[in-house]
Amino acid sequence: MKTLMGYISGLLFGLGLALAGMTDPARVLGFLDIFGAWDPTLMFVLGGAVVTTFIGYRFVFRQEQPLIGETFQLPTRQDFDARLIGGSALFGIGWGLSGYCPGPAIASIAGLTAPLFAMLVAMVTGWFLARAIPARS
Amino acid sequence: MDWIASLQGLVGGVMIGLSAVWLMATLGRIAGISGIVGSLVTTLPKGDSAWRVAFMMGLVSGPLLLMLLGGGLGNVADAPGVVVGQPAGGVGLMLIAGLLVGVGTGLGSGCTSGHGVCGLARLSPRSLVATVTFLACAIVTVYIVRHVIGGGA
């Protein structure tokens, strides 16, 4: 049951990404290119996603617990540390170079090309590397 | 202004939002791709892996389903009907970009979906800082690539 719920969520997510044009790096880069021929599409994507989630979460968090899981697992940290800011900066550079953030990169596996494969392998390697970098306490 | 693309973007965005709401309502989880997939591949969490694999399968089957439904919804300008786009560069560039995306989302505990969609919807200050940071860095990167190095191409 948990598995089915996970699949449905992933399917909705993948459909949304593809429909929105997020799986097309050219369109994503067009949005990030605010000094060129700016393509506003992604503003609608992010806006639609954030507003929908904001409203939906309001209803969801009125419940005691999720339908299947035991508790809502939410991040509780409030501090701004170097990992958060530095990591986000590195991610932004990688996103700007490729036009892929992790979701679209994985969702595009159906149309796998050598460059996309390289990106995915490097991304997984990067996840392992990030775990090896100790948090300064 | 491409209104059709904007409308598709809005509908797609709402679907992404519904996906995030669904995952929270059923499993109590944040729909952050780098978190869901990242922890799956790096730690294989016991009893907590199957739904992650299923989520990934769903993620991959989304674009495929769209193609099956006629594919006229593709957003690739030079190849109507193709839903999955062309990578922006060759293997070398994508290796560097992928490493940056992996290390960056790993260190920053989230990407466009976890921080940008779920985090902003939760009004999380950390996610707001993360989102502003990666958007700004991505914009600057594209500016340098296209207008400084590429001469405005």
Side-chain angles (χ1 to χ4, degrees):
Chain A
M1 200 60 179
K2 258 177 94 170
T3 312
L4 177 67
M5 297 305 162
Y7 180 79
I8 291 170
S9 179
L11 182 65
L12 268 172
F13 206 107
L15 270 174
L17 284 176
L19 184 62
M22 290 286 295
T23 45
D24 179 11
R27 187 172 283 285
V28 175
L29 293 173
F31 167 75
L32 294 170
D33 188 11
I34 58 174
F35 301 101
W38 188 59
D39 178 344
T41 307
L42 251 72
M43 207 174 49
F44 291 90
V45 183
L46 269 172
V50 173
V51 171
T52 304
T53 308
F54 177 80
I55 297 169
Y57 274 5
R58 295 266 140 155
F59 288 101
V60 170
F61 291 145
R62 280 186 201 162
Q63 316 304 318
E64 292 285 311
Q65 62 191 84
L67 286 173
I68 299 173
E70 298 79 38
T71 54
F72 295 116
Q73 303 198 19
L74 302 172
T76 50
R77 288 182 59 175
Q78 297 284 344
D79 57 313
F80 307 133
D81 59 327
R83 281 173 78 96
L84 177 79
I85 296 165
S88 298
L90 292 176
F91 163 48
I93 297 169
W95 190 27
L97 286 174
S98 63
Y100 278 124
C101 48
I106 293 165
S108 300
I109 285 177
L112 193 66
T113 55
L116 178 59
F117 182 71
M119 163 122 198
L120 290 166
V121 170
M123 189 165 81
V124 171
T125 309
W127 282 332
F128 277 101
L129 274 176
R131 286 175 55 83
I133 298 171
R136 272 186 309 171
S137 48
Chain B
M1 185 83 184
D2 184 347
W3 286 106
I4 292 181
S6 301
L7 186 65
Q8 279 184 204
L10 188 64
V11 174
V14 168
M15 287 176 78
I16 292 168
L18 290 175
S19 155
V21 174
W22 177 266
L23 198 64
M24 187 58 74
T26 57
L27 305 184
R29 297 290 188 149
I30 293 280
I33 312 290
S34 60
I36 293 170
V37 181
S39 49
L40 172 69
V41 295
T42 53
T43 59
L44 285 173
K46 272 206 177 71
D48 199 37
S49 287
W51 74 269
R52 296 171 192 266
V53 174
F55 183 94
M56 264 184 78
M57 299 281 178
L59 197 58
V60 174
S61 50
L64 281 173
L65 184 64
L66 209 53
M67 287 184 200
L68 286 176
L69 292 173
L73 298 163
N75 277 290
V76 182
D78 58 350
V82 178
V83 177
V84 174
Q86 284 300 315
V91 169
L93 177 76
M94 298 298 272
L95 278 174
I96 297 166
L99 200 62
L100 287 166
V101 169
V103 171
T105 55
L107 288 176
S109 332
C111 59
T112 332
S113 48
H115 281 311
V117 176
C118 301
L120 291 187
R122 291 193 313 120
L123 308 178
S124 152
R126 267 172 65 87
S127 290
L128 179 62
V129 167
T131 306
V132 169
T133 305
F134 64 65
L135 264 175
C137 287
I139 287 167
V140 169
T141 302
V142 171
Y143 176 75
I144 292 172
V145 168
R146 288 195 175 179
H147 304 289
V148 178
I149 302 170

